[in-house]
């Protein structure tokens, strides 16, 4: 009898019970909402609006997640300072370009030129901060144990947060509203806010452009070679340090674009604006399969939609009031569930021990 108890895999049993409980909760929430009508106060139009909002938010997550997945694919480290690259470009472009252009009326008269100027400044600042961080904080630790650069990344994150808080202040800074993006478009009888539509279109264009850059250019081939094996890539004549710097710059440029799109939607920026979106983007990268560019995109869109639809669908079906305030819980619960059920992500691959 004692031997039988010793043979029981208690950890496996606990995980099985935990998975079963999660499935029961999700199924019951869905049934209660869609079939029993419990708390069903939303119309079809409301659900479509939830979906559009989720796709818009998810597109921002996807752009930020690209930085995590690119750096992990090359260095196998989690760059927790990536959210601050997102913040740095957005704050700088807002204060030095967006607000002056808005005050002068130029942004409303020439919205395309004005937005391009804002995007360029945001991308340049984000890339500069990323390259400086990589050169000073990460490159000397290239051969260090895996935990050392991880802790360094957390320290770099806090450094940049409080550096920009001291530089620009800790208060909220308004992001100007473009007159041309006020209101909504009616498409197929569905109302799409102009800002959300622009965010989704711009994100898809950037995602396609990045995929072409990585898969169809000489520099992209070098990045993929370094990700596969740094030593062999160096023997083939590839400048590994330069390639890693380009990888950081590429991810930071995507984050700079995401920051401006974030400003268009939420219309305010501050020194901690990169922390929560950064963590959620990391969740999206893990969800899609960290190290995979299509995985980061899919994970970002999936997380955004689940954040928007999950609270009214699951939590209100369980009778939990104020469920929209729990969307962060939804996001981080997704991270835990992915790590339990499918650690490699939606389209990720199981890594060899050398890369894991």
């Amino acid at each position: 009898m004692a031997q039988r108890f010793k043979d029981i895999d208690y950890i496996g049993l606990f995980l099985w019970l935990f998975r079963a409980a999660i499935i029961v909760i999700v199924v019951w929430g869905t049934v209660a909402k869609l079939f029993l009508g419990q708390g069903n106060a939303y119309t079809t139009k409301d659900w479509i609006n939830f979906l559009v909002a989720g796709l818009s938010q998810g597109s921002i997550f996807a752009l930020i997640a690209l930085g995590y997945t690119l750096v992990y694919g090359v260095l196998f480290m989690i760059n927790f300072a990536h959210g601050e690259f997102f913040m740095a470009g957005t704050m700088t472009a807002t204060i030095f370009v967006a607000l002056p252009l808005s005050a002068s009326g130029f942004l409303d008269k020439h919205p395309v030129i004005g937005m391009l100027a804002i995007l360029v400044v945001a991308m340049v600042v984000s890339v500069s901060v990323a390259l400086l961080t990589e050169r000073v904080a990460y490159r000397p630790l290239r051969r260090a144990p895996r935990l050392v650069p991880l802790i360094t990344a957390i320290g770099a994150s806090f450094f940049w947060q409080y550096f920009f808080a001291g530089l620009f202040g800790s208060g909220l800074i308004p992001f100007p509203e473009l007159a041309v993006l006020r209101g909504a478009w009616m498409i197929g009888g569905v109302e799409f806010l102009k800002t959300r539509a622009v965010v989704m279109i711009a994100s898809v264009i950037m995602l396609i452009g990045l995929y072409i850059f990585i898969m169809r250019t000489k520099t992209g081939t070098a990045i993929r070679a370094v990700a596969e094996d740094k030593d062999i890539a160096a023997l083939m004549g590839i400048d590994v340090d330069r390639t890693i710097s380009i990888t950081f710059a590429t991810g930071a440029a995507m984050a700079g674009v995401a920051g401006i799109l974030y400003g268009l939607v939420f219309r305010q920026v501050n020194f901690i604006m990169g922390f929560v979106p950064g963590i959620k983007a990391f969740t999206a990268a893990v969800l899609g399969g960290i190290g995979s560019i299509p995985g980061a995109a899919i994970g970002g869109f999936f997380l955004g939609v689940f954040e928007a639809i999950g609270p009214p669908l699951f939590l209100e079906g369980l009778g939990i009031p104020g469920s929209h305030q729990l969307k962060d819980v939804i996001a981080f619960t997704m991270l835990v569930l992915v790590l339990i059920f499918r650690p490699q992500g939606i389209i990720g691959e199981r890594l060899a021990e050398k890369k894991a």
Side-chain angles (χ1 to χ4, degrees):
M1 181 67 71
Q3 183 64 34
R4 289 182 180 178
F5 280 109
K6 290 181 181 179
D7 292 339
I8 296 176
D9 182 4
Y10 290 102
I11 295 178
L13 179 61
F14 171 78
L15 290 177
W16 185 88
L17 292 173
F18 180 77
R19 292 173 182 177
I22 292 297
I23 292 172
V24 169
I25 290 173
V26 171
V27 170
W28 170 249
T30 306
V31 170
K33 173 60 66 175
L34 297 180
F35 299 103
L36 302 182
Q38 182 176 341
N40 195 4
Y42 299 107
T43 64
T44 302
K45 182 178 179 181
D46 292 329
W47 289 110
I48 293 175
N49 288 334
F50 288 148
L51 178 62
V52 172
L55 289 172
S56 174
Q57 183 76 3
S59 62
I60 296 175
F61 292 156
L63 287 179
I64 306 173
L66 290 172
Y68 284 101
T69 206
L70 284 171
V71 171
Y72 184 85
V74 172
L75 293 178
F76 308 115
M77 67 165 282
I78 305 300
N79 177 25
F80 280 118
H82 187 66
E84 276 51 63
F85 305 161
F86 163 85
M87 172 272 297
T90 309
M91 284 194 72
T92 305
T94 300
I95 292 173
F96 290 107
V97 183
L99 292 178
L101 289 182
S102 178
S104 66
F106 183 88
L107 195 58
D108 288 333
K109 294 178 182 177
H110 308 282
V112 176
I113 298 175
M115 283 304 301
L116 286 176
I118 295 169
L119 283 172
V120 168
V121 172
M123 292 170 71
V124 168
V125 173
S126 294
V127 168
S128 300
V129 171
L131 291 177
L132 181 61
T133 304
E134 189 275 331
R135 183 64 184 87
V136 174
Y138 297 155
R139 189 175 297 183
L141 304 175
R142 193 71 53 79
R143 302 290 181 179
R146 192 73 57 86
L147 187 61
V148 175
L150 178 64
I151 295 173
T152 303
I154 296 173
S157 172
F158 282 106
F159 170 81
W160 287 119
Q161 279 186 29
Y162 291 100
F163 175 83
F164 280 93
L167 195 63
F168 297 135
S170 58
L172 293 175
I173 301 169
F175 191 91
E177 181 183 16
L178 273 70
V180 70
L181 293 182
R182 292 172 186 159
W185 288 311
M186 293 297 295
I187 302 176
V190 180
E191 186 177 81
F192 290 86
L193 291 177
K194 293 181 179 180
T195 52
R196 296 194 182 277
V198 168
V199 165
M200 287 187 283
I201 293 170
S203 298
V204 170
I205 292 173
M206 296 300 296
L207 291 170
I208 293 173
L210 177 67
Y211 188 78
I212 293 173
F213 170 72
I214 295 295
M215 302 303 296
R216 303 297 185 199
T217 66
K218 185 177 179 179
T219 303
T221 303
I223 291 174
R224 288 186 283 120
V226 171
E228 189 66 29
D229 193 306
K230 297 180 187 61
D231 296 329
I232 298 298
L235 291 174
M236 297 299 293
I238 296 174
D239 188 335
V240 174
D241 287 337
R242 177 176 175 272
T243 303
I244 291 174
S245 296
I246 291 174
T247 303
F248 270 87
T250 303
M254 298 296 105
V257 174
I260 298 304
L261 298 179
Y262 179 96
L264 284 176
V265 174
F266 297 100
R267 299 197 50 216
Q268 61 182 21
V269 299
N270 65 351
F271 76 103
I272 58 172
M273 64 174 287
F275 183 74
V276 173
I279 296 297
K280 289 183 179 180
F282 168 65
T283 303
V286 174
L287 176 62
I290 194 162
S292 167
I293 292 176
I298 292 172
F301 283 112
F302 187 91
L303 181 62
V305 170
F306 202 79
E307 266 197 11
I309 294 180
L313 181 61
F314 300 133
L315 300 183
E316 290 186 13
L318 294 171
I320 300 175
S323 60
H324 283 289
Q325 300 176 9
L326 301 176
K327 63 179 182 178
D328 291 346
V329 175
I330 292 285
F332 299 123
T333 300
M334 284 296 301
L335 175 61
V336 174
L337 293 178
V338 168
L339 293 175
I340 291 174
F341 287 97
R342 189 175 172 82
Q344 70 269 32
I346 295 174
I347 64 173
E349 58 180 337
R350 291 191 178 274
L351 300 177
E353 183 177 350
K354 178 181 176 183
K355 292 186 177 182

Coordinates of all heavy atoms in Angstrom, one line a residue, residues 237-317:
G237 N 31.7 34.3 -42.6 CA 32.0 35.7 -43.0 C 30.9 36.7 -42.5 O 31.0 37.9 -42.9
I238 N 30.0 36.3 -41.7 CA 28.9 37.2 -41.2 C 29.4 37.9 -39.9 O 30.0 37.3 -39.0 CB 27.6 36.4 -40.9 CG1 27.1 35.8 -42.1 CG2 26.6 37.3 -40.2 CD1 25.9 34.9 -41.9
D239 N 29.3 39.2 -39.9 CA 29.6 40.0 -38.7 C 28.5 39.8 -37.7 O 27.4 40.4 -37.8 CB 29.8 41.5 -39.1 CG 30.3 42.3 -38.0 OD1 30.2 41.9 -36.8 OD2 30.9 43.4 -38.2
V240 N 28.8 39.0 -36.7 CA 27.8 38.6 -35.7 C 27.3 39.8 -34.9 O 26.1 40.0 -34.7 CB 28.3 37.4 -34.8 CG1 27.3 37.1 -33.7 CG2 28.5 36.2 -35.6
D241 N 28.3 40.6 -34.4 CA 27.9 41.7 -33.5 C 27.0 42.7 -34.3 O 26.0 43.2 -33.8 CB 29.1 42.4 -33.0 CG 29.8 41.6 -31.9 OD1 29.2 40.8 -31.3 OD2 31.1 41.8 -31.7
R242 N 27.4 43.0 -35.6 CA 26.6 43.9 -36.4 C 25.2 43.3 -36.6 O 24.2 44.1 -36.6 CB 27.3 44.1 -37.7 CG 26.6 45.0 -38.7 CD 27.4 45.3 -39.9 NE 26.6 46.1 -40.9 CZ 25.9 45.5 -41.8 NH1 25.7 44.2 -41.9 NH2 25.2 46.3 -42.7
T243 N 25.1 42.0 -36.9 CA 23.8 41.4 -37.2 C 22.9 41.5 -35.9 O 21.7 41.7 -36.1 CB 24.0 40.0 -37.6 OG1 24.9 39.9 -38.8 CG2 22.7 39.3 -37.9
I244 N 23.5 41.2 -34.8 CA 22.7 41.3 -33.5 C 22.2 42.7 -33.3 O 21.1 43.0 -32.9 CB 23.5 40.8 -32.3 CG1 23.8 39.3 -32.5 CG2 22.8 41.1 -31.0 CD1 24.7 38.7 -31.4
S245 N 23.1 43.7 -33.6 CA 22.7 45.1 -33.5 C 21.5 45.4 -34.4 O 20.6 46.1 -34.1 CB 23.9 46.1 -33.7 OG 24.9 45.9 -32.8
I246 N 21.6 44.9 -35.6 CA 20.5 45.1 -36.6 C 19.2 44.5 -36.1 O 18.1 45.1 -36.3 CB 20.9 44.6 -38.0 CG1 22.0 45.4 -38.6 CG2 19.7 44.6 -38.9 CD1 22.6 44.9 -39.9
T247 N 19.4 43.3 -35.5 CA 18.2 42.7 -34.9 C 17.5 43.5 -33.9 O 16.3 43.7 -33.9 CB 18.6 41.3 -34.3 OG1 19.2 40.5 -35.3 CG2 17.3 40.6 -33.8
F248 N 18.3 44.1 -32.9 CA 17.8 45.0 -31.9 C 17.1 46.2 -32.6 O 16.0 46.6 -32.2 CB 18.9 45.4 -31.0 CG 19.1 44.5 -29.8 CD1 19.9 43.4 -29.9 CD2 18.4 44.8 -28.6 CE1 20.0 42.6 -28.8 CE2 18.6 43.9 -27.5 CZ 19.4 42.8 -27.6
A249 N 17.8 46.8 -33.6 CA 17.3 48.0 -34.2 C 16.0 47.7 -34.9 O 15.0 48.5 -34.9 CB 18.3 48.5 -35.2
T250 N 15.9 46.5 -35.6 CA 14.6 46.2 -36.3 C 13.4 46.0 -35.3 O 12.4 46.6 -35.5 CB 14.8 44.9 -37.1 OG1 15.9 45.0 -38.0 CG2 13.6 44.5 -37.8
G251 N 13.7 45.3 -34.2 CA 12.6 45.2 -33.2 C 12.2 46.5 -32.6 O 11.0 46.8 -32.4
A252 N 13.2 47.4 -32.3 CA 12.9 48.7 -31.7 C 12.2 49.6 -32.7 O 11.3 50.3 -32.3 CB 14.2 49.3 -31.3
A253 N 12.5 49.5 -34.0 CA 11.7 50.3 -35.0 C 10.3 49.9 -35.0 O 9.4 50.7 -35.1 CB 12.4 50.1 -36.4
M254 N 10.0 48.6 -34.9 CA 8.6 48.1 -34.8 C 7.9 48.6 -33.6 O 6.8 49.0 -33.6 CB 8.5 46.6 -34.9 CG 9.1 45.9 -36.1 SD 8.1 46.3 -37.6 CE 9.3 47.4 -38.4
A255 N 8.7 48.7 -32.5 CA 8.1 49.2 -31.2 C 7.8 50.7 -31.3 O 6.9 51.2 -30.8 CB 9.1 48.9 -30.1
G256 N 8.7 51.4 -32.0 CA 8.5 52.8 -32.2 C 7.2 53.1 -33.0 O 6.4 54.0 -32.6
V257 N 6.9 52.3 -34.0 CA 5.7 52.4 -34.8 C 4.5 52.1 -33.9 O 3.5 52.8 -33.9 CB 5.7 51.5 -36.0 CG1 4.3 51.6 -36.7 CG2 6.8 52.0 -37.0
A258 N 4.6 51.0 -33.1 CA 3.6 50.6 -32.2 C 3.2 51.7 -31.2 O 2.1 51.9 -30.8 CB 3.9 49.3 -31.5
G259 N 4.3 52.4 -30.7 CA 4.0 53.4 -29.7 C 3.2 54.6 -30.3 O 2.3 55.1 -29.6
I260 N 3.4 55.0 -31.5 CA 2.6 56.0 -32.1 C 1.2 55.6 -32.4 O 0.3 56.3 -32.1 CB 3.3 56.5 -33.4 CG1 4.7 57.1 -33.2 CG2 2.4 57.5 -34.1 CD1 4.7 58.2 -32.2
L261 N 1.1 54.3 -32.8 CA -0.3 53.8 -33.0 C -1.0 53.7 -31.6 O -2.2 54.0 -31.5 CB -0.2 52.4 -33.6 CG 0.4 52.3 -35.0 CD1 0.4 50.9 -35.5 CD2 -0.4 53.2 -36.0
Y262 N -0.3 53.4 -30.6 CA -0.9 53.4 -29.2 C -1.3 54.8 -28.8 O -2.4 54.9 -28.3 CB 0.2 52.9 -28.2 CG -0.2 52.8 -26.8 CD1 -0.7 51.6 -26.2 CD2 -0.1 53.9 -26.0 CE1 -1.1 51.6 -24.9 CE2 -0.5 53.9 -24.6 CZ -0.9 52.7 -24.1 OH -1.3 52.7 -22.8
G263 N -0.5 55.8 -29.2 CA -0.9 57.2 -28.9 C -2.1 57.6 -29.6 O -3.0 58.3 -29.1
L264 N -2.3 57.1 -30.9 CA -3.5 57.5 -31.6 C -4.8 56.9 -31.0 O -5.8 57.5 -31.0 CB -3.4 56.9 -33.1 CG -2.4 57.7 -34.0 CD1 -2.4 56.9 -35.4 CD2 -3.0 59.1 -34.3
V265 N -4.6 55.7 -30.4 CA -5.8 55.0 -29.8 C -6.1 55.6 -28.5 O -7.3 55.9 -28.1 CB -5.6 53.5 -29.8 CG1 -6.8 52.8 -29.1 CG2 -5.5 52.9 -31.2
F266 N -5.1 55.7 -27.6 CA -5.3 56.0 -26.2 C -5.1 57.5 -25.9 O -5.5 58.0 -24.8 CB -4.5 55.1 -25.3 CG -4.8 53.7 -25.4 CD1 -4.1 52.8 -26.1 CD2 -5.9 53.2 -24.7 CE1 -4.4 51.5 -26.3 CE2 -6.3 51.8 -24.8 CZ -5.5 51.0 -25.6
R267 N -4.4 58.2 -26.8 CA -4.3 59.7 -26.7 C -3.6 60.2 -25.5 O -3.9 61.3 -25.0 CB -5.6 60.3 -27.0 CG -6.2 60.0 -28.3 CD -7.3 61.0 -28.7 NE -6.9 62.3 -28.6 CZ -7.7 63.3 -28.2 NH1 -8.9 63.1 -27.9 NH2 -7.2 64.6 -28.0
Q268 N -2.7 59.4 -24.9 CA -1.9 59.9 -23.8 C -0.7 59.0 -23.6 O -0.7 57.8 -24.0 CB -2.7 59.9 -22.5 CG -3.2 58.6 -22.0 CD -4.0 58.7 -20.7 OE1 -4.5 59.8 -20.4 NE2 -4.2 57.6 -20.0
V269 N 0.4 59.6 -23.2 CA 1.7 58.8 -23.0 C 2.3 59.2 -21.7 O 2.0 60.3 -21.2 CB 2.7 59.1 -24.1 CG1 2.1 58.6 -25.5 CG2 3.1 60.5 -24.2
N270 N 3.1 58.3 -21.1 CA 3.8 58.6 -19.9 C 5.0 57.7 -19.8 O 5.2 56.8 -20.6 CB 2.9 58.6 -18.6 CG 2.4 57.2 -18.3 OD1 2.5 56.3 -19.1 ND2 1.8 57.1 -17.2
F271 N 5.8 57.8 -18.7 CA 7.1 57.1 -18.6 C 6.9 55.6 -18.3 O 7.8 54.9 -18.5 CB 8.0 57.8 -17.6 CG 7.6 57.5 -16.2 CD1 8.3 56.6 -15.4 CD2 6.5 58.1 -15.5 CE1 8.0 56.3 -14.1 CE2 6.2 57.9 -14.2 CZ 6.9 57.0 -13.5
I272 N 5.7 55.2 -17.8 CA 5.5 53.8 -17.6 C 4.6 53.1 -18.6 O 4.1 52.0 -18.4 CB 5.0 53.5 -16.1 CG1 3.7 54.3 -15.9 CG2 6.0 53.9 -15.1 CD1 3.0 53.9 -14.6
M273 N 4.3 53.8 -19.7 CA 3.4 53.3 -20.7 C 3.9 52.0 -21.3 O 3.1 51.3 -21.9 CB 3.1 54.4 -21.7 CG 4.4 54.7 -22.6 SD 4.0 55.8 -23.9 CE 3.2 54.7 -25.1
G274 N 5.2 51.8 -21.3 CA 5.7 50.6 -21.9 C 5.7 49.3 -21.1 O 5.9 48.2 -21.7
F275 N 5.4 49.4 -19.8 CA 5.6 48.3 -18.9 C 4.5 47.2 -19.2 O 4.8 46.1 -19.5 CB 5.6 48.7 -17.5 CG 5.8 47.6 -16.5 CD1 7.1 47.0 -16.4 CD2 4.7 47.0 -15.8 CE1 7.3 45.9 -15.5 CE2 4.9 46.0 -14.9 CZ 6.2 45.4 -14.8
V276 N 3.2 47.6 -19.0 CA 2.2 46.6 -19.2 C 2.0 46.1 -20.6 O 2.0 44.9 -20.9 CB 0.8 47.2 -18.7 CG1 -0.3 46.2 -19.0 CG2 0.9 47.3 -17.1
P277 N 2.0 47.0 -21.6 CA 2.0 46.5 -23.0 C 3.2 45.7 -23.3 O 3.1 44.7 -24.1 CB 2.0 47.8 -23.9 CG 1.4 48.9 -23.0 CD 1.9 48.5 -21.6
G278 N 4.4 46.0 -22.8 CA 5.5 45.1 -23.0 C 5.4 43.7 -22.4 O 5.7 42.7 -23.1
I279 N 4.8 43.6 -21.2 CA 4.6 42.3 -20.6 C 3.6 41.5 -21.4 O 3.7 40.3 -21.7 CB 4.2 42.4 -19.2 CG1 5.3 43.1 -18.3 CG2 3.8 41.1 -18.6 CD1 6.6 42.2 -18.3
K280 N 2.5 42.2 -21.9 CA 1.5 41.6 -22.7 C 2.0 41.2 -24.0 O 1.6 40.1 -24.5 CB 0.3 42.5 -22.8 CG -0.5 42.7 -21.6 CD -1.7 43.6 -21.8 CE -2.6 43.7 -20.5 NZ -3.8 44.6 -20.7
A281 N 2.9 42.0 -24.6 CA 3.5 41.6 -25.9 C 4.4 40.3 -25.7 O 4.5 39.5 -26.6 CB 4.3 42.7 -26.4
F282 N 5.1 40.3 -24.6 CA 5.9 39.1 -24.3 C 4.9 37.9 -24.2 O 5.2 36.8 -24.7 CB 6.6 39.3 -23.0 CG 7.2 38.0 -22.4 CD1 8.2 37.3 -23.1 CD2 6.8 37.5 -21.2 CE1 8.8 36.2 -22.6 CE2 7.3 36.3 -20.7 CZ 8.3 35.6 -21.4
T283 N 3.8 38.1 -23.5 CA 2.8 37.0 -23.4 C 2.3 36.6 -24.8 O 2.2 35.4 -25.1 CB 1.6 37.5 -22.6 OG1 2.0 37.9 -21.3 CG2 0.5 36.4 -22.5
A284 N 2.1 37.6 -25.7 CA 1.7 37.3 -27.1 C 2.8 36.5 -27.8 O 2.5 35.6 -28.6 CB 1.4 38.6 -27.8
A285 N 4.1 36.9 -27.6 CA 5.2 36.1 -28.2 C 5.2 34.7 -27.8 O 5.4 33.8 -28.6 CB 6.5 36.8 -27.9
V286 N 5.0 34.5 -26.5 CA 5.0 33.1 -26.0 C 3.8 32.4 -26.5 O 3.9 31.2 -26.8 CB 5.0 33.1 -24.4 CG1 4.9 31.7 -23.8 CG2 6.3 33.7 -23.9
L287 N 2.7 33.0 -26.5 CA 1.5 32.4 -27.0 C 1.6 31.9 -28.5 O 1.2 30.8 -28.8 CB 0.3 33.4 -26.9 CG -1.1 33.0 -27.4 CD1 -1.6 31.8 -26.7 CD2 -2.1 34.1 -27.3
G288 N 2.2 32.8 -29.3 CA 2.3 32.4 -30.7 C 3.5 31.5 -31.0 O 3.5 30.7 -31.9
G289 N 4.5 31.5 -30.1 CA 5.7 30.7 -30.3 C 6.9 31.6 -30.4 O 7.2 32.1 -31.5
I290 N 7.5 31.8 -29.2 CA 8.6 32.8 -29.2 C 9.8 32.3 -30.1 O 10.1 31.2 -30.1 CB 9.1 33.0 -27.8 CG1 9.9 34.3 -27.7 CG2 9.8 31.8 -27.2 CD1 10.1 34.9 -26.3
G291 N 10.3 33.3 -30.9 CA 11.3 32.9 -31.9 C 10.7 32.9 -33.3 O 11.4 32.8 -34.3
S292 N 9.4 32.9 -33.4 CA 8.7 32.8 -34.7 C 8.0 34.1 -35.0 O 7.2 34.6 -34.2 CB 7.7 31.7 -34.7 OG 6.8 31.8 -35.8
I293 N 8.4 34.7 -36.1 CA 7.8 36.0 -36.5 C 6.3 35.9 -36.8 O 5.5 36.6 -36.2 CB 8.5 36.6 -37.7 CG1 9.9 37.0 -37.3 CG2 7.8 37.8 -38.2 CD1 10.8 37.6 -38.4
P294 N 5.8 34.9 -37.6 CA 4.4 34.7 -37.7 C 3.7 34.4 -36.4 O 2.6 34.8 -36.2 CB 4.3 33.6 -38.7 CG 5.6 33.5 -39.5 CD 6.6 34.0 -38.5
G295 N 4.4 33.7 -35.5 CA 3.9 33.3 -34.2 C 3.6 34.6 -33.4 O 2.6 34.7 -32.7
A296 N 4.6 35.5 -33.4 CA 4.4 36.7 -32.7 C 3.2 37.5 -33.1 O 2.4 38.1 -32.4 CB 5.7 37.6 -32.8
A297 N 3.0 37.6 -34.5 CA 1.9 38.3 -35.0 C 0.5 37.6 -34.7 O -0.4 38.3 -34.2 CB 2.0 38.4 -36.6
I298 N 0.5 36.3 -34.8 CA -0.7 35.6 -34.5 C -1.0 35.7 -33.0 O -2.2 35.9 -32.6 CB -0.6 34.1 -34.9 CG1 -0.6 34.0 -36.4 CG2 -1.7 33.3 -34.3 CD1 -0.3 32.6 -36.9
G299 N 0.0 35.5 -32.2 CA -0.2 35.6 -30.7 C -0.7 37.0 -30.3 O -1.5 37.1 -29.4
G300 N -0.2 38.1 -30.9 CA -0.6 39.4 -30.6 C -2.1 39.6 -30.9 O -2.8 40.1 -30.1
F301 N -2.5 39.2 -32.1 CA -3.9 39.4 -32.5 C -4.8 38.5 -31.6 O -5.9 39.0 -31.2 CB -4.1 39.0 -34.0 CG -3.6 40.1 -34.9 CD1 -2.5 39.8 -35.8 CD2 -4.3 41.3 -35.0 CE1 -2.1 40.8 -36.6 CE2 -3.8 42.3 -35.9 CZ -2.7 42.0 -36.7
F302 N -4.4 37.3 -31.4 CA -5.2 36.4 -30.5 C -5.3 36.9 -29.1 O -6.4 36.9 -28.6 CB -4.5 35.0 -30.5 CG -5.4 34.0 -29.8 CD1 -6.3 33.2 -30.5 CD2 -5.3 33.8 -28.5 CE1 -7.0 32.2 -29.9 CE2 -6.1 32.8 -27.8 CZ -6.9 32.0 -28.6
L303 N -4.3 37.5 -28.6 CA -4.3 38.0 -27.2 C -5.2 39.2 -27.2 O -6.0 39.4 -26.2 CB -2.9 38.4 -26.7 CG -2.9 38.9 -25.3 CD1 -3.4 37.9 -24.3 CD2 -1.5 39.3 -24.9
G304 N -5.1 40.1 -28.2 CA -6.0 41.3 -28.2 C -7.5 40.9 -28.3 O -8.3 41.5 -27.6
V305 N -7.8 40.0 -29.1 CA -9.2 39.6 -29.3 C -9.7 38.9 -28.0 O -10.8 39.1 -27.5 CB -9.3 38.6 -30.5 CG1 -10.7 37.9 -30.5 CG2 -9.1 39.3 -31.8
F306 N -8.8 38.1 -27.4 CA -9.2 37.4 -26.2 C -9.4 38.3 -25.0 O -10.3 38.2 -24.2 CB -8.2 36.3 -25.8 CG -8.7 35.2 -24.9 CD1 -9.5 34.2 -25.5 CD2 -8.5 35.2 -23.6 CE1 -10.0 33.2 -24.6 CE2 -9.0 34.2 -22.7 CZ -9.8 33.2 -23.3
E307 N -8.6 39.4 -25.0 CA -8.8 40.4 -23.9 C -10.1 41.1 -24.1 O -10.7 41.5 -23.1 CB -7.6 41.4 -24.0 CG -6.5 41.1 -23.1 CD -5.6 42.3 -22.9 OE1 -6.0 43.5 -23.3 OE2 -4.5 42.2 -22.3
A308 N -10.5 41.4 -25.4 CA -11.7 42.2 -25.6 C -13.0 41.3 -25.4 O -14.0 41.8 -24.9 CB -11.7 42.7 -27.0
I309 N -12.9 40.1 -25.9 CA -14.1 39.2 -25.9 C -14.2 38.4 -24.6 O -15.3 38.0 -24.1 CB -14.1 38.3 -27.1 CG1 -14.3 39.2 -28.3 CG2 -15.2 37.3 -27.0 CD1 -14.4 38.4 -29.6
G310 N -13.0 38.0 -24.0 CA -13.0 37.1 -22.9 C -13.8 37.6 -21.7 O -14.6 36.8 -21.1
P311 N -13.6 38.8 -21.2 CA -14.4 39.3 -20.0 C -15.9 39.2 -20.2 O -16.5 38.6 -19.3 CB -13.9 40.7 -19.8 CG -12.5 40.7 -20.4 CD -12.6 39.8 -21.6
P312 N -16.5 39.8 -21.2 CA -17.9 39.6 -21.3 C -18.4 38.2 -21.6 O -19.5 37.9 -21.3 CB -18.3 40.6 -22.5 CG -17.1 40.7 -23.3 CD -15.9 40.6 -22.3
L313 N -17.6 37.4 -22.3 CA -18.0 36.1 -22.7 C -17.9 35.1 -21.5 O -18.8 34.4 -21.2 CB -17.2 35.6 -23.9 CG -17.6 34.2 -24.4 CD1 -19.0 34.2 -24.9 CD2 -16.6 33.8 -25.5
F314 N -16.7 35.1 -20.9 CA -16.5 34.0 -19.8 C -16.8 34.5 -18.4 O -17.6 33.9 -17.7 CB -15.0 33.6 -19.9 CG -14.6 33.0 -21.2 CD1 -13.4 33.4 -21.8 CD2 -15.4 32.1 -21.8 CE1 -13.1 32.9 -23.1 CE2 -15.0 31.5 -23.0 CZ -13.9 31.9 -23.7
L315 N -16.3 35.7 -18.1 CA -16.4 36.1 -16.7 C -17.8 36.6 -16.3 O -18.3 36.2 -15.3 CB -15.4 37.3 -16.4 CG -13.9 36.9 -16.6 CD1 -13.1 38.1 -16.2 CD2 -13.5 35.7 -15.8
E316 N -18.5 37.3 -17.2 CA -19.9 37.7 -17.0 C -20.8 36.5 -17.0 O -21.8 36.4 -16.3 CB -20.3 38.7 -18.0 CG -19.6 40.1 -17.7 CD -20.2 41.2 -18.6 OE1 -21.3 41.0 -19.2 OE2 -19.6 42.2 -18.7
G317 N -20.4 35.5 -17.8 CA -21.2 34.2 -17.8 C -21.1 33.5 -16.5 O -22.0 32.8 -16.1

